[in-house]
Amino acid sequence: MKLSVDTAVRLGRVGVAIGHTWRFRDADRPPERATIPQAPVILACWHEYLLSFALLGKHRGIASLSSQHGDGEIITRIVDPLGFHMARGSSSRGGFAGFRELLRAAADGRSIYLTTDGPRGPRHTCQPGVARLAKRTGFPIVPMAMAATSGFRLDSWDRQLVPAPGARVFVAFGDPIDVGSDDDATALARIEHETNRMVRRCEAVAREARWGRPAAIQRSAPEATPDRGARSSGPLFRAIESRIRRAWLRRPPPLDLRAASVGFRGLRAARHALYDAGIISAGPPAIPVVSVGGITVGGAGKTPLASEVAGWIMDAGARAAVLTRGYADELRLHRALQPRAVVMGHRDRQALTWRAAAEGADVAVLDDGFQHRRLARSFDLVAIDRDALRRTNGAPLPAGPFRESVGRAVRVADALVLIGREPRDEAVIEWEKAWVADVGPRTRPAIATLEADAPELVRKGTGDQPTVALTGVMKPNLFFDFVRSSCPTIERCHALPDHGVPGADLPELLEAAAAGGFVMTRKDYVRLSGILPRDIGVWVVPERLVWHEGESPLRTALLEAVLGAGRC
């Protein structure tokens, strides 16, 4: 239903009233209020920030341009009470008259505000009027952008940003651009580049402010201390977790856990039914999404597989973003494994795809995304834990380690990868053949192994060999078996919760490691390095994904799904 001009103006003025609650902050100095340059300039930004700028630039006497279409009439009547000097005209109607009026405003010493992709797009494509106006006035062009800590975007061609009441709106101003004697194409390319750089800057600052995380965690600083996602390793927590893990090996598991599994399975089935029926719909991503997930709790190799997939995408000439739930160790590990990728973490991974797109990513890779049905995806890749299939009771949580059934994974996934950590001997190979035959011809899984290499010294201490094995992974026994065989000096093995950090037992562990040092996984190291004394040595056990079957067809199918056949 198309609104009348009067109705649209009234709604717009309601938005302006809400806008008076917004707090504009300088993106480079977040505690300080954002201020517009005093000297006459041409402020240039994308059309999606029009409403936000109306509140930032109020009562500054800034001149701007609106079209002679109905949309321009609405904008003029909304912003007129805010003290803007509006010229009427656009590239499609009345452009020359509007241009002359802006020249007169510049002669009066007014700054000029232009939406460089307006009034009707294409979105994020700079139109030539801004460069021509700069050449005629002699004013420098100052590209700018904004981002809000909360709010939404309209379903319009420009995806207009509407900050929530009370939101902080971060503003970034780029370096002034003097187009001088540049031809239009060169000038527009410079403006677009600097504007998009400001967009990325604002989005990063707003993300950090919204989630209460320092930039170091979002950007995976190697020596940052564990974030609030790290789990406590108190004695009660460890006792409960240990009992549940032991139950996963029992056939049948304890009665109380089986009863709890019935509830878990019912809730999971109801959730899938709501999505399958369309009652709950998946949100649209900003860019194609590859989900790398699993059907068991931890230990399936999802993180190294997601990193491998990101590498495939970047090798094909595109830029990948790896999106996680926000655990600091996963963020830093992905950054170390794929330094060229955009790495971000938060629970709301639908919003992350838009932020990743703003930072230049072409494809998003979700680490642990199979159950994240809120976000539509282009390719669903499921890692099947070979060790869990062979050694556990196969029950759903909490009686067993399974979050989903194998049957559902086979039915809905685009591809499967069977991954194990145990050595792949003849018995394992025969088991794999039987399992693949049971899966059927629809989805022939690829097969890989996570193989550990000899421990590497990453932090030198007083000792020459590690004496304590410390890890917070889902399968600590496999890790401990390997390090005992590789490091005969190991005197103690200590398991933390998944993503966990030591608690009251830290002094005892430090005393045990004083004579030599710690050995741990790389993920453990990026999580724990900030709390371990620097005079204690640390060794890490590197892991690598070794493919046995199906890598090439999997890679081709995945790249075709997200990039098209021509990019494989």
Side-chain angles (χ1 to χ4, degrees):
M1 181 180 67
K2 185 173 178 61
L3 299 176
S4 67
V5 171
D6 288 342
T7 301
V9 170
R10 283 194 290 270
L11 290 174
R13 287 175 178 169
V14 170
V16 168
I18 295 173
H20 287 293
T21 69
W22 300 337
R23 295 167 291 164
F24 291 96
R25 296 291 181 264
D26 190 318
D28 293 318
R29 297 175 295 278
E32 297 184 15
R33 182 177 176 83
T35 57
I36 292 174
Q38 294 292 327
V41 296
I42 297 175
L43 297 162
C45 71
W46 301 132
H47 198 273
E48 64 202 68
Y49 306 120
L50 180 62
L51 179 60
S52 303
F53 185 84
L55 276 297
L56 175 66
K58 62 183 180 180
H59 306 309
R60 292 290 306 274
I62 295 173
S64 190
L65 184 70
S66 63
S67 73
Q68 293 184 356
H69 299 279
D71 292 347
E73 176 66 19
I74 294 169
I75 292 170
T76 300
R77 289 172 57 181
I78 290 172
V79 303
D80 185 66
L82 299 176
F84 283 85
H85 177 83
M86 299 301 296
R88 301 297 300 276
S90 68
S91 57
S92 58
R93 183 187 300 179
F96 185 66
F99 191 82
R100 284 190 304 177
E101 194 166 348
L102 288 179
L103 290 178
R104 286 195 292 268
D108 292 338
R110 296 177 185 268
S111 286
I112 298 171
Y113 169 73
L114 291 180
T115 57
T116 52
D117 57 348
R120 298 191 175 185
R123 184 172 184 253
H124 291 188
T125 299
C126 194
Q127 304 298 323
V130 61
R132 295 170 186 172
L133 186 64
K135 291 178 181 179
R136 288 289 301 273
T137 61
F139 287 1
I141 298 171
V142 177
M144 60 177 292
M146 302 183 188
T149 51
S150 59
F152 61 95
R153 290 183 179 271
L154 300 180
D155 187 18
S156 54
W157 72 266
D158 61 350
R159 295 196 52 79
Q160 183 70 217
L161 172 67
V162 182
R168 280 175 290 172
V169 180
F170 292 97
V171 185
F173 297 98
D175 296 329
I177 297 174
D178 182 2
V179 295
S181 59
D182 288 349
D183 59 80
D184 284 354
T186 301
L188 298 183
R190 292 175 62 192
I191 296 167
E192 285 187 10
H193 174 80
E194 188 67 7
T195 303
N196 287 329
R197 189 173 73 86
M198 293 302 98
V199 170
R200 293 191 293 270
R201 172 63 181 152
C202 285
E203 291 287 352
V205 175
R207 178 178 64 244
E208 293 153 11
R210 178 183 180 185
W211 300 335
R213 295 172 184 263
I217 290 180
Q218 294 304 320
R219 286 296 160 207
S220 315
E223 296 296 331
T225 56
D227 74 334
R228 61 188 177 193
R231 300 178 182 175
S232 168
S233 58
L236 179 61
F237 185 95
R238 287 204 305 270
I240 294 173
E241 185 180 46
S242 177
R243 177 179 182 267
I244 291 175
R245 287 191 184 185
R246 288 196 303 271
W248 294 351
L249 304 177
R250 292 178 54 180
R251 300 173 186 268
L255 184 60
D256 58 337
L257 294 182
R258 274 187 284 163
S261 290
V262 173
F264 174 83
R265 186 166 47 195
L267 290 174
R268 179 68 71 185
R271 179 174 179 269
H272 286 318
L274 291 173
Y275 275 102
D276 294 340
I279 298 173
I280 304 177
S281 58
I287 49 180
V289 172
V290 177
S291 167
V292 178
I295 61 174
T296 55
V297 179
K302 297 183 294 293
T303 294
L305 181 59
S307 178
E308 184 109 340
V309 167
W312 292 348
I313 292 167
M314 290 185 290
D315 289 345
R319 193 176 187 201
V322 181
L323 311 182
T324 78
R325 292 169 295 173
Y327 288 117
D329 53 354
E330 290 177 345
L331 286 165
R332 297 178 197 134
L333 182 58
H334 277 300
R335 189 61 178 170
L337 293 173
Q338 294 293 350
R340 296 178 295 160
V342 177
V343 179
M344 298 178 178
H346 192 255
R347 293 185 299 274
D348 188 350
R349 280 177 277 182
Q350 181 182 356
L352 277 185
T353 64
W354 292 95
R355 300 179 190 278
E359 295 206 14
D362 302 303
V363 180
V365 179
L366 266 63
D367 184 355
D368 197 9
F370 189 49
Q371 287 76 33
H372 195 78
R373 295 198 62 180
R374 285 185 57 207
L375 181 62
R377 64 282 311 269
S378 304
F379 197 89
D380 240 327
L381 177 60
V382 176
I384 304 293
D385 189 343
R386 185 191 69 198
D387 305 327
L389 289 175
R390 296 185 67 228
R391 295 189 171 276
T392 71
N393 54 29
L397 286 167
F402 283 78
R403 298 188 287 184
E404 302 279 358
S405 68
V406 176
R408 180 176 180 271
V410 171
R411 187 170 64 254
V412 305
D414 294 295
L416 306 177
V417 181
L418 187 65
I419 302 180
R421 280 185 166 85
E422 289 185 307
R424 193 169 180 260
D425 54 21
E426 289 298 324
V428 170
I429 293 174
E430 289 301 316
W431 180 92
E432 289 174 347
K433 291 179 180 177
W435 187 84
V436 169
D438 289 340
V439 168
R442 179 192 173 276
T443 305
R444 181 173 179 82
I447 298 176
T449 302
L450 277 169
E451 295 188 0
D453 291 327
E456 299 175 353
L457 180 66
V458 295
R459 180 187 291 181
K460 187 171 178 58
T462 56
D464 296 328
Q465 294 291 331
T467 52
V468 176
L470 179 67
T471 190
V473 297
M474 189 56 68
K475 297 177 183 177
N477 289 339
L478 290 177
F479 174 76
F480 293 147
D481 288 345
F482 176 78
V483 296
R484 285 193 192 100
S485 63
S486 303
C487 307
T489 55
I490 295 296
E491 299 174 358
R492 176 173 178 174
C493 295
H494 187 86
L496 301 169
D498 195 23
H499 300 286
V501 296
D505 45 16
L506 179 59
E508 183 182 348
L509 291 172
L510 294 177
E511 182 179 355
F518 290 101
V519 61
M520 58 189 67
T521 69
R522 191 174 298 278
K523 182 184 288 189
D524 292 317
Y525 178 66
V526 298
R527 183 177 68 255
L528 303 177
S529 60
I531 64 173
L532 298 178
R534 292 185 174 274
D535 60 345
I536 293 182
V538 179
W539 286 257
V540 299
V541 176
E543 282 188 324
R544 52 196 170 87
L545 198 62
V546 178
W547 294 92
H548 305 295
E549 296 180 19
E551 177 194 9
S552 181
L554 170 62
R555 178 173 182 162
T556 300
L558 187 150
L559 293 179
E560 285 182 351
V562 296
L563 299 178
R567 300 285 294 274
C568 301

